[in-house]
Amino acid sequence: MSSRGVAAEFIGTLGLVTVVVGSGIAASRLSPADAGLQLLENALATTAGLFVLIVVFQPISGAHFNPVVSVVDAALGYRRWRDVLAYVPAQIAGAVGGAILANAMFGLDAVSVSSNERLTWSHALSEVVATAGLVVVVFVLARTGRARYAAPAVAAYIGAAYWFTSSTSFANPAVTAGRVFSDTFAGIAPGSAVMYVAAQLSGGALGWALVLLLAPIQRRDGVRIG
């Protein structure tokens, strides 16, 4: 386990939640009467920010920024479980720090627990679908020797999933936890967050099974290696 990797996961997840929450706050101020435009602005900023963060941190830590991705990474044999035990707390701490930073940059209370209730079964189903899809994108690329496409593919997928899921595709337990601490457009109430995390873990398990179904043999640049 590399301390640089843990630091990269903390900083990268902090940056991701700063982008998500900060752009959500900016969107609600720039387009207060148009929820669709707010979502578009939030989605575009998140897509761009996620692309940059993956490009920067992928060589250092793998650019997971997501406990589900870290767990599946270990389950597929790419990483040791002790690395996951170090990555996950760093991701959660980074996510909370990102929400606090975004709040502060926009002159809000640094810590404010969200009152944005998202507790519906359609949202839970959306999180299962969004998280499973994310896992498939990341690991089918990895297992078919195309991990170099992860940054554009993951960013594009999350940007699209903002719109094709009713939950706006959190797809990440750490990001969900961080967004609890911002009572803004991008926030989520604690009770809803618990349901989201449960759905995301279920989606991660489904995604892992789909990866094994779709890409059972590891390949690198088209050559079988497993």
Side-chain angles (χ1 to χ4, degrees):
M1 178 182 62
S2 166
S3 59
R4 291 190 303 111
V6 175
E9 286 299 300
F10 171 80
I11 296 168
T13 313
L14 183 148
L16 175 59
V17 176
T18 301
V19 169
V20 171
V21 174
S23 63
I25 297 170
S28 64
R29 292 182 178 182
L30 292 170
S31 311
D34 192 332
L37 186 55
Q38 290 175 25
L39 184 61
L40 177 61
E41 293 160 348
N42 191 207
L44 289 175
T46 300
T47 299
L50 184 56
F51 173 83
V52 171
L53 289 167
I54 294 174
V55 169
V56 171
F57 291 107
Q58 189 176 24
I60 303 171
S61 68
H64 297 177
F65 316 142
N66 187 331
V68 168
V69 173
S70 296
V71 168
V72 175
D73 202 40
L76 292 173
Y78 292 112
R79 197 169 300 274
R80 296 168 298 184
W81 285 104
R82 66 180 184 179
D83 295 339
V84 176
L85 293 177
Y87 272 22
V88 171
Q91 292 159 353
I92 294 171
V96 173
I100 292 171
L101 178 60
N103 290 338
M105 287 196 299
F106 283 89
L108 304 175
D109 291 339
V111 177
S112 58
V113 176
S114 178
S115 58
N116 192 356
E117 295 288 349
R118 302 172 184 259
L119 193 59
T120 70
W121 285 109
S122 61
H123 286 160
L125 176 60
S126 292
E127 285 301 295
V128 171
V129 171
T131 310
L134 175 62
V135 168
V136 169
V137 169
V138 171
F139 291 103
V140 168
L141 287 176
R143 291 175 74 82
T144 55
R146 297 175 295 158
R148 62 189 179 278
Y149 298 121
V154 170
Y157 174 78
I158 292 298
Y162 258 82
W163 293 91
F164 74 72
T165 65
S166 64
S167 65
T168 68
S169 181
F170 286 45
N172 185 329
V175 168
T176 302
R179 290 167 72 163
V180 167
F181 295 94
S182 183
D183 192 17
T184 61
F185 175 81
I188 181 170
S192 299
V194 172
M195 181 189 72
Y196 269 47
V197 170
Q200 291 154 4
L201 294 176
S202 299
L206 175 59
W208 168 77
L210 289 172
V211 169
L212 292 178
L213 173 66
L214 297 169
I217 298 172
Q218 165 104 2
R219 297 178 183 273
R220 181 174 294 142
D221 296 328
V223 178
R224 174 173 171 162
I225 63 173

